[in-house]
Amino acid sequence: VYNSKFGRSNGHFMGTIADLLVDAGHNVTSLIPIIDPSFKDNTDKSRIIHVNQSEETKMRTAFLNSDSTNWFESNSFDFITPFFVGTPYGDRFASQCEGLLKEEDLIERLRAEKYDVYIAENFDMCGIGLSYLIKPKSLINTAASAPMAWMNEEFGLPGAMSYNPSPTISHLDVHSMWSRLKNIYSEMIYYKFFHSSRYRIEDLFRAKFGPDYPSLEEISSHAAYTLIYSEPLIDFAHPTLSRIVYVGGIGARPAKKLDEVFDHLLSLRPKAVLVSFGAVVVTHRIPMDVKKSITNAFSRFPNVTFIW
């Protein structure tokens, strides 16, 4: 399982897959290139091989984690944003991949294992490119969310942009040609956001192993299965394939009795809402005016307890 350490949700998804396979009796290795060391390995049961953070990756991660990168003030509908935010974000995967490809002894050891299955997410594409070197019997690729941007082509899925909203657009009116054009424009920006994580990684493999090294899309097309961390019943309708397996909820844990503090909090009012922005948008860097607008919104619901 190729599980690069760069985000909480992606790492949790891939780590869950690794641990579930161990529970099923399989011998599982997790290859974990360290892009952001502040995150966990997310697997307790598989054998772990770390690839240390490269110097270029360390520099790019420090920039993205600094106050210079404000996700709240960047306009996701602005074509300039992907160049200043998206490119550094994707470039981390390429710089870490360059460091990984220098670990020639490690690659030989992995190839010698003759793995039955190799599992990698189509997000950090170094894992997909590496699968061609490792030569497993089968490749399974994944998405820790609904497929986005380049993933559609890599999974063999049509984007269906005439009725499927791009992740960066707030609303799509399928009866409006203008709204559809805005949707396509929004998707183009999203493609640009992840562009460098594709072409730079392909260039790395071809520079080291020759110009005939297959494209990442070509390698992805040979996957036996694609695991998508999404629940189709609450997703937008779209075409699919028989090899696509939806595993939404695979990371859910059995419910446990709440401790005294949270039991008290949830008993204060009839309803409760948990507010969380994930691992990319760090709450302590939210501008004060945005924080105030959020708390003002909370105050309009006196019968709801908000946990932030």
Side-chain angles (χ1 to χ4, degrees):
V1 178
Y2 185 99
N3 186 7
S4 54
K5 189 188 293 192
F6 68 91
R8 187 168 290 110
S9 55
N10 303 70
H12 177 256
F13 174 52
M14 298 302 288
T16 298
I17 291 173
D19 285 354
L20 286 173
L21 289 171
V22 173
D23 289 340
H26 299 289
N27 179 5
V28 182
T29 298
S30 289
L31 180 63
I32 304 180
I34 301 173
I35 293 176
D36 188 337
S38 66
F39 294 107
K40 299 178 181 178
D41 289 337
N42 289 294
T43 174
D44 300 318
K45 301 174 182 179
S46 65
R47 172 189 172 220
I48 294 174
I49 300 175
H50 287 119
V51 179
N52 290 329
Q53 188 184 37
S54 72
E55 287 303 315
E56 185 182 349
T57 304
K58 187 181 298 184
M59 178 187 68
R60 294 187 184 281
T61 297
F63 168 74
L64 288 169
N65 289 342
S66 70
D67 292 336
S68 303
T69 309
N70 191 329
W71 296 91
F72 273 91
E73 292 182 352
S74 62
N75 182 359
S76 59
F77 207 62
D78 178 2
F79 197 73
I80 303 300
T81 299
F83 290 92
F84 292 101
V85 179
T87 300
Y89 188 87
D91 281 349
R92 292 188 304 169
F93 302 127
S95 61
Q96 188 61 25
C97 190
E98 185 174 14
L100 172 59
L101 293 181
K102 292 176 181 177
E103 303 278 349
E104 296 180 2
D105 291 343
L106 172 60
I107 294 172
E108 285 303 318
R109 285 189 357 245
L110 294 173
R111 184 188 287 131
E113 291 283 349
K114 294 183 168 55
Y115 289 105
D116 295 300
V117 179
Y118 179 105
I119 305 175
E121 187 187 3
N122 281 57
F123 201 98
D124 177 355
M125 294 301 290
C126 187
I128 297 297
L130 185 65
S131 69
Y132 188 78
L133 286 179
I134 303 303
K135 304 294 183 188
K137 293 179 182 177
S138 294
L139 167 66
I140 295 176
N141 55 6
T142 72
S145 66
M148 59 179 83
W150 300 88
M151 291 182 184
N152 289 310
E153 284 85 355
E154 291 157 0
F155 296 159
L157 297 173
M161 299 309 297
S162 62
Y163 57 88
N164 251 321
S166 171
T168 56
I169 201 168
S170 59
H171 172 69
L172 171 62
D173 179 1
V174 297
H175 304 292
S176 165
M177 181 60 69
W178 172 242
S179 183
R180 288 188 182 189
L181 287 172
K182 283 177 66 178
N183 192 45
I184 292 172
Y185 173 75
S186 177
E187 189 70 357
M188 287 169 57
I189 295 173
Y190 217 41
Y191 269 72
K192 174 56 189 169
F193 190 92
F194 291 104
H195 186 222
S196 67
S197 65
R198 263 69 179 173
Y199 81 84
R200 272 199 64 190
I201 286 175
E202 283 187 353
D203 287 349
L204 285 172
F205 280 99
R206 287 171 177 164
K208 192 171 183 68
F209 302 105
D212 294 331
Y213 203 88
S215 69
L216 298 171
E217 184 175 331
E218 169 68 18
I219 297 170
S220 296
S221 73
H222 295 290
Y225 290 102
T226 298
L227 306 180
I228 295 180
Y229 198 23
S230 175
E231 173 49 67
L233 291 175
I234 56 173
D235 197 358
F236 294 97
H238 55 80
T240 188
L241 297 169
S242 58
R243 81 173 192 186
I244 306 289
V245 182
Y246 293 92
V247 293
I250 195 174
R253 301 288 188 263
K256 296 179 180 179
K257 183 174 174 60
L258 290 169
D259 63 29
E260 191 174 329
V261 174
F262 276 97
D263 188 54
H264 172 69
L265 279 174
L266 295 176
S267 302
L268 293 174
R269 297 175 183 83
K271 297 178 181 178
V273 173
L274 174 67
V275 181
S276 174
F277 293 104
V280 175
V281 181
V282 184
T283 306
H284 71 78
R285 294 217 307 265
I286 298 176
M288 185 54 68
D289 61 322
V290 178
K291 288 180 181 177
K292 287 181 178 178
S293 70
I294 293 171
T295 54
N296 287 338
F298 292 168
S299 67
R300 295 172 60 186
F301 300 89
N303 291 326
V304 179
T305 299
F306 290 89
I307 303 170
W308 186 10

